[in-house]
């Protein structure tokens, strides 16, 4: 009896100690998570979203790009930091039975076109040359700011490309193509000029994995919808619109992103699991060897959203209020007010009078002509 | 190289040491950076005896009077420092302070009556001089993007990169115009407080300031109610999500390509007044403001509750620009990288000047920026050379070539000027180097679409030339055989 009570009394402080240590571990874990938040090293986010195919039956590629655009905007990247390139106009295409809409889910559940879509490169402006110019920054000086990628060494860039592709190339506009070596060289030039901090490259085409095989610049993570030798398949046709609405890989990525909000802590490993072979038929692939951080430490919002690092301002500087200047400033303002005359509306046109006059003249004219004709 | 002139007053050091004046001592330090790169940092100290007016000034009672007397004769060149050594028992400094750093490139250090006076004083002077000009972390921060880092320190990421110009935008956010009729005298405040600060910084770039008022702009986060203080608060972890919904409305300028700094003043709605920002521990922040590196800052301005008593809504709110500008200027200093230097022990700082920027802080900024510009220009030129080496069929136009020559000349000039301590010309040369090298690198004509992989070459040229080549080859062979036969024939019929 005494022994058991003694045991229980010894156990109680032990349990207390254990609980305490757990508690301190928990707080240190929270602090560690907070520190992790700071670990990504970027201060702004950019996105370059490219759809490379035209013609009505490639509706799904435009829908793919627009759904990624929508997610990226919802998670916080502003339009000024998104370069959207669409090779054809599906919303206002004459063959679109529902004009001004682009749907991603059948039965018209989700319209990804919306009210505030800003397309930066449209239609025939989407060429390999323009795409490479945007990436490397070798843009003619007359290009407007919205068409430039003004990233710096602390920008995380998301690059999403979709269209028709093959082993080592991606077809642009049915007339030209970009090879994986050109893409790798473009990324290397971006790295040389420190135009990115980290880059996430997602591609949804047939044999997409071939496009990221040749990358050699650091800090690039790549995802593709299918391996070399496999085709990426489309998701579902819509009988009302008459074409396939989305590709499978991007459809499931979109569903995954719909559950992310700017505060979520989901990491890249979850994105790698999106669309397994049973759903996608093709095998999605990814490449992380060039990336310095572990993918499980990389938040989805590091690339898809724009969560800014903030610091509390703790110090101020002291300014002296200069009363002398205040007084003269008051006087100036007062004088300015004096000089502004009160404005009033100009005299309205006396319409009734004019009509009366015109009618009167008309009647006079008629009478004179009558008189003249009579004569 | 930092030129420092050290002025000794009469009782500061023992007499036999005083006999040795004037002379020059050079103190050199090599600061190792990554990849076996080193930067040599030289402090050239010119020791001399004090002139009469300086003696008089330093024997005055207070620091302010001494400074006004000392400031008259000459303006010092940028980047140089003057350190005055006063006697050990002088009452110019408070008793326990060993040194003092003034607002305008001057400092005062206590002397000592000791055999090793010069060595000891020399060390103290180096400490003060380093605090006022260059230290290892300043240089490391400047070269941050050219060297991989192991740890991400927020100090290194916060400041803006060196650029030719900057745009500063002040925005007033009024989400509830029905309750608050907010007026702010932004023109006057900019003229009185911001413009002098920017004028002091004008060497570092062109600044343009604009302002706007946004109505019905809400923050992205709902503040929570704190019943203890009957006020609303924004927790520290929700602050990052505040900026994004507002940013799309701010309208980043379409005209210029310079980096933009946004400063927002938010007047909370009547339903959420007063609103405080809480830091990590849950205490309200005194300044009620926070900033984001390389973006700008936000301050929350609470309307004085007394204003609600008298009148009906909307209540006229006149913003106290002094309080607001104090915070915004502090944020501007942080965002520009004018950080607190490593202070030597027992050192007294003077009150900052009315512009909010001490002259030697500007010098520090210029040193760091010059080094950063030089590093950027050299890496740009090297990568351009590598690119040309790899892809041999790029055509370099004449103007690109002239930009490259100009960039190289500017880099050399900047390095020379830095080594001889002329900060102003070094900074100008380094800026020119960066502009020329960027113009050369980003020239639109350098885009190579001329990449031909070997299999594409075969695929294009073989179907074109092979069908033509086959008959030609066959006929050449035939001609050769016939000519051989005709050589053999004359031998036969002789």
């Amino acid at each position: 009896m005494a022994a058991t009570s003694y045991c229980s009394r010894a156990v109680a402080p032990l349990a207390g100690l254990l609980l305490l240590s757990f508690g301190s571990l928990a707080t240190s874990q929270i602090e560690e998570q907070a520190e992790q938040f700071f670990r990504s090293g970027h201060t702004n986010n950019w996105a370059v979203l490219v759809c490379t195919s035209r013609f009505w039956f490639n509706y799904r590629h435009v829908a793919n790009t627009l759904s990624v655009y929508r997610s990226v905007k919802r998670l916080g990247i502003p339009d000024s930091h998104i370069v959207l390139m669409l090779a054809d106009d599906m919303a206002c295409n004459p063959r679109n039975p529902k004009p001004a809409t682009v749907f991603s889910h059948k039965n018209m559940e989700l319209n990804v076109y919306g009210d505030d879509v800003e397309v930066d490169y449209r239609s025939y402006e989407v060429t390999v040359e323009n795409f490479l110019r945007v990436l490397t920054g070798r843009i003619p000086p007359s290009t407007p700011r919205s068409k430039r990628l003004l990233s710096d060494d602390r920008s995380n860039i998301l690059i999403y490309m979709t269209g028709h592709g093959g082993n080592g190339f991606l077809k642009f506009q049915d007339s030209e193509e970009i090879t994986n070596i050109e893409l790798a060289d473009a990324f290397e030039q971006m790295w040389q000029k420190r135009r990115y901090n980290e880059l996430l490259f997602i591609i949804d085409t047939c044999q997409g994995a071939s496009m990221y095989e040749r990358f050699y610049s650091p800090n690039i993570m790549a995802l593709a919808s299918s391996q070399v030798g496999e085709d990426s398949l489309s998701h579902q046709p819509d009988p009302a619109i008459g074409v396939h609405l989305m590709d499978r890989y991007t459809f499931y990525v979109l569903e995954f992103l719909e559950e992310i909000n700017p505060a979520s802590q989901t990491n890249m490993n979850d994105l790698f699991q999106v669309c397994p072979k049973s759903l996608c038929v093709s095998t999605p692939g990814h490449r992380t060897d060039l990336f310095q951080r572990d993918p499980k430490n990389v938040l989805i919002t590091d690339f898809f959203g724009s969560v800014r690092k903030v610091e509390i301002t703790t110090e101020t500087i002291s300014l002296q209020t200069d009363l002398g200047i205040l007084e003269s400033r008051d006087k100036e303002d007062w004088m300015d007010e004096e000089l502004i005359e009160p404005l009033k509306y100009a005299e309205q046109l006396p319409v009734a009078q004019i009509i009366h006059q015109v009618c009167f003249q008309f009647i006079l004219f008629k009478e004179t002509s009558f008189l003249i004709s009579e004569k | 190289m930092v030129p420092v002139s050290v002025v000794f007053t009469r009782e500061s050091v023992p007499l036999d040491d005083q006999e040795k004046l004037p002379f020059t001592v050079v103190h050199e330090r090599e600061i190792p950076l990554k990849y076996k790169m080193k930067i040599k940092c030289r402090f050239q100290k010119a020791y001399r005896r004090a002139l009469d007016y300086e003696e008089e000034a330093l024997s005055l009672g207070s620091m302010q009077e001494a400074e006004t007397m000392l400031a008259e004769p000459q303006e010092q060149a940028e980047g140089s420092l003057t350190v005055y050594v006063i006697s050990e028992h002088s009452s110019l400094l408070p008793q326990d302070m060993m040194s003092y750093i003034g607002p305008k490139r001057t400092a005062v250090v206590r002397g000592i009556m000791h055999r090793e006076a010069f060595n000891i004083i020399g060390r103290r002077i180096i400490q003060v001089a380093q605090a006022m000009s260059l230290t290892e972390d300043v240089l490391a921060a400047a070269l941050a993007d050219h060297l991989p880092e192991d740890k991400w320190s927020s100090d290194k990421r916060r400041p803006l990169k060196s650029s030719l110009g900057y745009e500063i935008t002040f925005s007033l956010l009024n989400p509830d115009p029905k309750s608050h009729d907010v007026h702010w005298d932004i023109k006057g405040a900019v003229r009185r407080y911001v413009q002098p600060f920017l004028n002091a910084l004008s060497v570092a770039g062109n600044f343009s300031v604009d302002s706007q008022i946004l109505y019905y702009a809400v923050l992205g986060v709902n503040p929570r109610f704190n019943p203890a203080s009957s006020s609303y608060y924004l927790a520290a972890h929700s602050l990052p999500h505040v900026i994004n919904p507002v940013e799309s409305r701010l309208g980043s300028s379409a005209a210029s390509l310079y980096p933009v700094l946004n400063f927002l003043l938010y007047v909370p709605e009547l339903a959420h007044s007063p609103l405080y920002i809480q830091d990590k521990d849950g205490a309200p922040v005194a300044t009620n403001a926070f900033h984001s590196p390389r973006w700008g800052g936000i301050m929350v301005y609470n309307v004085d509750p007394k204003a609600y008593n008298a009148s009906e809504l909307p209540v006229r709110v006149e913003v106290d620009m002094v309080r607001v500008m104090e915070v915004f200027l502090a944020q501007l200093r942080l965002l520009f990288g004018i950080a607190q230097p490593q202070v030597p022990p027992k050192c007294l700082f003077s009150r900052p000047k009315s512009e909010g920027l001490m002259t030697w802080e500007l010098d520090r900024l210029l040193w760091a920026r010059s080094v950063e510009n030089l590093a950027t220009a050299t890496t740009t030129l090297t990568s351009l050379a590598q690119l040309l080496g790899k892809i041999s069929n790029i055509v370099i136009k004449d103007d690109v070539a002239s930009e490259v020559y100009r960039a190289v000349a500017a880099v050399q000039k900047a390095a020379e000027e830095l080594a001889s301590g002329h900060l102003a010309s070094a900074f100008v040369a380094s800026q020119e180097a960066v502009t020329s090298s960027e113009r050369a690198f980003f020239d639109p004509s350098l885009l190579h679409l001329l990449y031909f992989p070997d299999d594409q070459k075969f695929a294009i040229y073989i179907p074109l030339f092979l069908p033509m080549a086959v008959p030609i080859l066959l006929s050449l062979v035939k001609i050769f055989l016939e000519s051989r036969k005709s050589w053999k024939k004359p031998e036969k019929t002789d």
Side-chain angles (χ1 to χ4, degrees):
Chain A
M1 278 285 219
T4 48
S5 65
Y6 179 68
C7 275
S8 60
R9 249 199 259 153
V11 159
L14 254 180
L17 250 172
L18 266 175
L19 270 175
L20 256 179
S21 59
F22 270 135
S24 62
L25 200 66
T27 46
S28 67
Q29 262 184 2
I30 293 177
E31 280 202 53
E32 211 191 293
Q33 275 190 350
E35 286 308 308
Q36 215 181 39
F37 189 73
F38 245 101
R39 250 183 235 162
S40 63
H42 71 279
T43 56
N44 52 10
N45 285 76
W46 285 81
V48 179
L49 311 173
V50 185
C51 159
T52 59
S53 23
R54 46 175 38 241
F55 307 130
W56 172 245
F57 51 82
N58 289 323
Y59 183 100
R60 58 190 188 279
H61 296 142
V62 173
N64 287 350
T65 320
L66 283 173
S67 52
V68 175
Y69 173 80
R70 179 179 175 279
S71 309
V72 149
K73 259 180 91 158
R74 187 178 56 84
L75 290 174
I77 303 187
D79 268 316
S80 53
H81 285 231
I82 303 180
V83 179
L84 178 62
M85 305 170 83
L86 295 181
D88 200 358
D89 179 15
M90 297 304 168
C92 301
N93 194 305
R95 290 173 73 169
N96 190 350
K98 315 274 177 216
T101 58
V102 174
F103 293 110
S104 62
H105 286 60
K106 80 173 172 197
N107 298 329
M108 294 170 276
E109 278 171 26
L110 183 59
N111 175 17
V112 290
Y113 197 62
D115 283 339
D116 54 351
V117 168
E118 278 186 25
V119 183
D120 299 306
Y121 286 85
R122 53 177 66 101
S123 182
Y124 288 107
E125 291 170 359
V126 179
T127 58
V128 175
E129 180 185 341
N130 279 347
F131 176 61
L132 289 179
R133 279 192 195 281
V134 166
L135 284 186
T136 54
R138 297 210 168 92
I139 294 190
S142 56
T143 321
R145 192 179 167 120
S146 60
K147 283 189 171 178
R148 293 180 188 243
L149 179 65
L150 294 168
S151 56
D152 53 27
D153 62 316
R154 294 267 161 237
S155 309
N156 276 8
I157 308 186
L158 166 73
I159 299 188
Y160 175 83
M161 303 182 74
T162 181
H164 288 287
N167 190 353
F169 67 91
L170 172 62
K171 183 174 75 158
F172 264 72
Q173 300 262 15
D174 221 22
S175 58
E176 50 182 2
E177 57 198 26
I178 184 172
T179 53
N180 48 5
I181 304 182
E182 281 177 358
L183 199 55
D185 283 341
F187 285 162
E188 173 64 15
Q189 290 190 41
M190 287 175 80
W191 174 250
Q192 290 282 331
K193 259 323 251 157
R194 296 293 184 275
R195 277 166 69 81
Y196 66 89
N197 177 34
E198 290 170 347
L199 197 93
L200 178 64
F201 177 76
I202 304 184
I203 184 158
D204 188 351
T205 63
C206 305
Q207 309 194 46
S210 62
M211 289 303 283
Y212 61 64
E213 275 172 1
R214 301 290 192 121
F215 291 164
Y216 54 94
S217 318
N219 286 353
I220 301 186
M221 194 184 325
L223 281 112
S225 59
S226 55
Q227 302 291 332
V228 176
E230 288 180 350
D231 289 339
S232 284
L233 302 183
S234 59
H235 187 60
Q236 37 177 233
D238 183 306
I241 299 187
V243 284
H244 286 259
L245 293 181
M246 283 274 270
D247 278 333
R248 283 181 190 238
Y249 182 70
T250 312
F251 182 81
Y252 290 108
V253 167
L254 174 64
E255 297 217 319
F256 173 77
L257 288 176
E258 287 288 308
E259 288 162 24
I260 309 269
N261 55 42
S264 75
Q265 299 283 316
T266 336
N267 55 36
M268 277 296 166
N269 275 342
D270 302 327
L271 189 58
F272 294 157
Q273 310 301 329
V274 160
C275 205
K277 195 170 161 98
S278 53
L279 288 173
C280 253
V281 185
S282 58
T283 322
H286 55 92
R287 179 175 178 181
T288 52
D289 57 322
L290 293 167
F291 205 73
Q292 281 177 1
R293 293 190 288 151
D294 192 355
K296 74 169 188 295
N297 289 337
V298 180
L299 299 176
I300 300 281
T301 50
D302 278 351
F303 288 102
F304 285 91
S306 177
V307 184
R308 299 203 178 258
K309 312 283 184 291
V310 295
E311 292 165 6
I312 309 270
T313 312
T314 45
E315 40 190 59
T316 58
I317 62 177
S318 55
L319 298 170
Q320 308 121 326
T321 45
D322 219 329
L323 289 173
I325 303 183
L326 254 177
E327 281 182 20
S328 63
R329 195 249 329 163
D330 278 342
K331 271 206 202 122
E332 266 178 42
D333 276 349
W334 181 70
M335 276 169 38
D336 275 339
E337 280 186 37
E338 287 279 319
L339 290 171
I340 295 175
E341 288 170 15
L343 302 170
K344 59 183 176 41
Y345 279 108
E347 287 241 343
Q348 296 292 322
L349 210 51
V351 178
Q353 251 185 338
I354 292 178
I355 291 181
H356 180 73
Q357 268 192 350
V358 164
C359 288
F360 184 62
Q361 279 181 358
F362 183 59
I363 294 171
L364 257 181
F365 176 63
K366 274 196 85 175
E367 284 182 9
T368 50
S369 64
F370 182 60
L371 282 171
I372 293 172
S373 65
E374 255 199 348
K375 278 198 186 151
Chain B
M1 185 200 74
V2 184
V4 182
S5 67
V6 185
V7 180
F8 286 90
T9 55
R10 255 186 303 253
E11 281 116 43
S12 51
V13 280
L15 272 173
D16 44 348
D17 280 340
Q18 289 221 358
E19 304 292 308
K20 298 188 205 153
L21 295 170
F23 63 97
T24 308
V25 169
V26 174
H27 176 97
E28 222 177 67
R29 259 186 71 205
E30 263 194 4
I31 304 177
L33 305 164
K34 299 259 180 88
Y35 292 140
K36 299 184 203 149
M37 282 205 300
K38 292 185 285 240
I39 286 197
K40 245 188 285 193
C41 189
R42 220 168 358 136
F43 290 96
Q44 181 176 320
K45 294 181 287 195
Y47 288 0
R48 68 176 171 83
R49 214 167 289 172
L51 300 173
D52 283 333
Y53 77 90
E54 289 170 344
E55 294 270 356
E56 224 185 282
L58 289 169
S59 52
L60 288 174
S62 81
M63 213 57 226
Q64 276 83 352
E65 295 170 1
E67 274 179 353
T68 31
M69 263 207 78
L70 288 170
E72 282 149 28
Q74 1 102 302
E75 261 306 312
Q76 284 164 320
E78 293 192 347
S80 65
L81 302 168
T82 308
V83 183
Y84 295 98
V85 185
I86 55 176
S87 84
E88 209 172 340
H89 309 287
S90 156
S91 56
L92 204 51
L93 291 176
Q95 230 9 66
D96 48 346
M97 291 295 174
M98 300 305 283
S99 48
Y100 164 84
I101 296 185
K104 267 199 203 184
R105 301 190 185 111
T106 55
V108 175
V109 167
R110 246 183 230 288
I112 194 167
M113 291 293 194
H114 197 265
R115 247 176 338 136
E116 296 289 318
F118 276 152
N119 286 343
I120 300 178
I121 296 179
R123 271 198 297 263
R124 280 188 206 152
I125 291 175
I126 288 293
Q127 273 183 334
V128 169
Q130 276 183 344
M132 289 171 77
S133 60
L134 276 180
T135 45
E136 201 174 289
D137 48 347
V138 167
L139 290 176
L143 297 172
D145 62 331
H146 300 281
L147 314 162
E149 299 173 43
D150 307 309
K151 47 184 172 46
W152 309 100
S153 134
S154 52
D155 262 350
K156 295 191 186 131
R157 267 183 301 142
R158 198 192 299 128
L160 289 173
K161 287 194 47 104
S162 154
S163 153
L164 285 176
Y166 302 92
E167 277 221 18
I168 303 183
T169 307
F170 292 102
S171 311
L172 173 66
L173 302 178
N174 185 1
D176 197 5
K178 290 200 285 279
S179 318
H180 300 132
D181 180 22
V182 189
H183 291 261
W184 70 340
D185 176 28
I186 187 68
K187 270 202 274 197
V190 163
R191 198 172 22 140
R192 240 175 306 154
Y193 303 121
V194 180
Q195 208 51 48
F197 183 78
L198 294 180
N199 287 341
L201 268 184
S202 59
V203 190
N206 300 328
F207 292 95
S208 71
V209 181
D210 31 30
S211 69
Q212 59 179 345
I213 305 185
L214 290 173
Y215 294 105
Y216 291 106
V218 289
L219 300 179
V221 181
N222 265 333
R224 302 234 191 94
F225 185 66
N226 181 4
S229 57
S230 70
S231 61
Y232 291 85
Y233 69 93
L234 282 173
H237 61 81
S238 62
L239 289 177
H241 310 297
V242 165
I243 299 181
N244 283 325
V246 184
E247 192 178 355
S248 49
R249 306 254 193 83
L250 283 178
S252 60
S253 69
S256 80
L257 295 172
Y258 292 147
V260 180
L261 278 177
N262 296 298
F263 292 101
L264 274 57
L265 184 64
Y266 181 72
V267 180
E269 331 148 312
L270 187 53
H272 287 149
S273 285
L275 180 64
Y276 295 107
I277 297 180
Q278 278 188 358
D279 59 8
K280 275 192 305 224
D281 310 316
V285 173
T287 57
N288 225 10
F290 63 96
H291 59 273
S292 177
R294 298 209 183 177
W295 184 80
I298 299 187
M299 177 177 173
V300 178
Y301 186 86
N302 287 316
V303 176
D304 193 3
K306 294 198 280 282
Y308 293 123
N309 294 344
S311 47
E312 78 284 343
L313 305 172
V315 169
R316 186 184 164 97
V317 178
E318 195 66 50
V319 176
D320 177 14
M321 294 309 291
V322 177
R323 226 178 77 202
V324 168
M325 278 302 157
E326 284 181 354
V327 174
F328 279 162
L329 280 180
Q331 288 179 340
L332 191 58
R333 273 169 61 108
L334 282 172
L335 289 169
F336 258 102
I338 305 170
Q340 278 296 91
Q342 250 176 355
V343 179
K346 297 198 204 149
C347 180
L348 182 66
F349 270 95
S350 79
R351 240 171 21 111
K353 296 202 300 192
S354 56
E355 288 116 28
L357 181 71
M358 296 199 239
T359 324
W360 51 267
E361 284 182 332
L362 176 64
D363 285 349
R364 267 170 77 97
L365 189 67
L366 290 181
W367 286 113
R369 288 282 167 96
S370 311
V371 172
E372 189 190 332
N373 285 345
L374 267 187
T376 317
T378 36
T379 39
T380 311
L381 290 172
T382 339
S383 46
L384 183 60
Q386 278 176 349
L387 180 69
L388 295 179
K390 243 184 2 169
I391 298 160
S392 48
N393 43 11
I394 289 188
V395 174
I396 298 286
K397 296 199 301 202
D398 279 340
D399 46 354
V400 177
S402 63
E403 290 288 344
V404 172
Y405 282 132
R406 210 182 317 163
V408 171
V411 165
Q412 284 171 338
K413 177 162 178 251
E416 271 169 25
E417 299 281 341
L418 272 183
S420 58
H422 304 136
L423 183 55
S425 46
F427 183 68
V428 167
S430 70
Q431 271 193 328
E432 202 193 303
V434 167
T435 348
S436 297
S437 60
E438 301 239 327
R439 231 179 286 155
F441 189 88
F442 284 124
D443 192 77
S445 68
L446 283 182
L447 187 75
H448 71 287
L449 284 177
L450 309 171
Y451 179 77
F452 277 138
D454 286 338
D455 47 355
Q456 281 194 12
K457 268 192 208 138
F458 283 132
I460 292 176
Y461 289 128
I462 285 186
L464 196 60
F465 289 125
L466 197 61
M468 286 196 312
V470 167
I472 294 178
L473 275 176
L474 282 179
S475 41
L476 276 177
V477 165
K478 219 169 152 192
I479 292 174
F480 179 63
L481 286 174
E482 279 190 10
S483 54
R484 262 183 64 187
K485 252 194 256 171
S486 62
W487 285 342
K488 287 198 183 146
K489 257 197 179 161
E491 287 183 13
K492 262 192 175 178
T493 59
D494 68 329

